[in-house]
Amino acid sequence: MEITASLVKELRERTGAGMMECKKALTEANGDIDAAAEAMRKSGAAKADKKADRVAAEGRLGLAQDGGKAVLVEVNSETDFVANDDNFKSFVNAVAAAALASGATDVEAVKAAKLADGRTVEEARATAVQTLGENIQIRRMVKVDGNNTVGAYVHTNGKVGVLVDLVGGDVELARGLAMHVAALKPPHNKAADVPADFVEKEKEIELAKMSEKDKAKPAEILEKIISGKINKIVSDVTLYGQTYVLGDTTVEQVVKAAGADVAGFQLLIVGEGIEKVVEDYAAEVAKAMQV
């Protein structure tokens, strides 16, 4: 049976494996895609170590919460195809539950945590690599552990997650704030949290943008102009300064009206900071078929 480019592409989408690996499996299986997929899964154990070198920049976030305790865990895969696989989703949720139950404070502790079936997270991860055929990694975790109100939110695509530590207020407000952070992604909580060097750099930029006529104004007037611009910039990069996505006033006003205070928040975005490989699938298929 002829091994067509479309057949190779279909097997890749199904397994998440590389083009050459898919072509080889199809050739050995005489074009039987089901047999090829099964063979690739069975050979996964022997290739697990090699997969660890592959870039895993996709994946999803797992969330587990119990009252004032909550954990977000980022688990990475190589492709969105695997990230949306039900087995992968179940694994991610199990990892988050284990992280919360064990009281883990870092990724290494999460890997050593026990799942409900008695295996460690690391043992289950190795099995998932074999089953799903991709490099899978437990990359990051954040947690909130206290007596405050916790707002926890993970976007429906599993790519953005937030934990908000709210002093006072209620669960509804805390969750609303978590949704706000997920939507607007402020780098800082309050104005006092903005680094001084950032403010100084913005002052330099705003001063450089001003006309010579404005620069010639009295120092006190020039300072007021610059301060107004900087206050706007600081508001844009802080949770408290932004306009609340579920209202028409600032987050600070909403929080204070509720007699509450945001002690802090944690924001995770899947794959953030990982250099992704941009692939030309059409070119890759063509190249694979020529070999």
Side-chain angles (χ1 to χ4, degrees):
M1 178 179 180
E2 180 185 2
I3 310 302
T4 64
S6 60
L7 196 59
V8 173
K9 182 174 182 294
E10 182 181 351
L11 183 59
R12 170 163 187 162
E13 291 174 347
R14 181 166 166 178
T15 65
M19 289 292 182
M20 291 303 297
E21 192 173 5
C22 290
K23 181 185 177 184
K24 180 181 178 182
L26 283 166
T27 300
E28 293 175 349
N30 295 318
D32 186 329
I33 192 169
D34 291 329
E38 183 177 349
M40 290 173 73
R41 290 183 64 183
K42 288 180 178 178
S43 65
K47 301 173 183 178
D49 289 340
K50 295 181 180 180
K51 290 181 173 63
D53 294 329
R54 299 180 185 172
V55 175
E58 301 300 334
R60 62 192 307 111
L61 299 170
L63 167 66
Q65 182 177 5
D66 181 12
K69 298 180 179 182
V71 170
L72 271 178
V73 179
E74 177 183 357
V75 182
N76 295 127
S77 61
E78 295 176 47
T79 65
D80 251 346
F81 177 79
V82 164
N84 290 311
D85 180 89
D86 287 339
N87 292 318
F88 184 81
K89 292 179 181 179
S90 295
F91 172 66
V92 173
N93 291 334
V95 172
L100 181 66
S102 68
T105 57
D106 58 33
V107 170
E108 290 307 310
V110 172
K111 292 179 181 179
K114 292 292 185 70
L115 299 175
D117 61 10
R119 294 179 298 165
T120 66
V121 167
E122 177 58 21
E123 289 170 341
R125 184 198 68 81
T127 299
V129 171
Q130 298 171 24
T131 302
L132 297 172
E134 286 196 1
N135 181 18
I136 294 172
Q137 295 294 328
I138 316 298
R139 183 187 179 210
R140 295 184 291 177
M141 71 152 288
V142 294
K143 65 184 300 184
V144 173
D145 188 353
N147 299 315
N148 297 328
T149 303
V150 176
Y153 174 77
V154 173
H155 193 60
T156 52
N157 65 4
K159 302 291 187 182
V160 181
V162 180
L163 299 179
V164 171
D165 188 359
L166 184 66
V167 180
D170 56 26
V171 173
E172 182 179 358
L173 174 60
R175 178 172 170 76
L177 293 171
M179 293 174 67
H180 174 101
V181 173
L184 298 188
K185 303 175 181 61
H188 310 287
N189 187 20
K190 304 174 184 177
D193 301 319
V194 180
D197 58 350
F198 172 84
V199 175
E200 288 305 313
K201 177 60 68 175
E202 291 302 317
K203 283 183 178 180
E204 291 178 15
I205 293 172
E206 291 302 323
L207 185 60
K209 288 162 57 177
M210 295 181 70
S211 66
E212 292 301 321
K213 180 179 180 181
D214 283 335
K215 291 179 182 178
K217 292 179 179 179
E220 62 273 16
I221 295 179
L222 188 60
E223 179 63 26
K224 287 183 179 179
I225 294 175
I226 294 295
S227 294
K229 293 179 179 294
I230 294 302
N231 288 338
K232 176 62 171 62
I233 292 171
V234 169
S235 292
D236 289 341
V237 298
T238 57
L239 171 62
Y240 266 42
Q242 293 177 343
T243 299
Y244 189 37
V245 293
L246 301 179
D248 56 5
T249 59
T250 65
V251 169
E252 181 176 15
Q253 291 171 317
V254 171
V255 171
K256 287 186 174 180
D261 180 59
V262 178
F265 64 83
Q266 305 276 3
L267 167 66
L268 286 185
I269 302 173
V270 170
E272 186 177 36
I274 300 177
E275 186 175 350
K276 299 183 179 182
V277 178
V278 178
E279 297 179 311
D280 184 337
Y281 290 107
E284 189 178 355
V285 171
K287 182 179 179 180
M289 298 309 297
Q290 292 172 1
V291 176

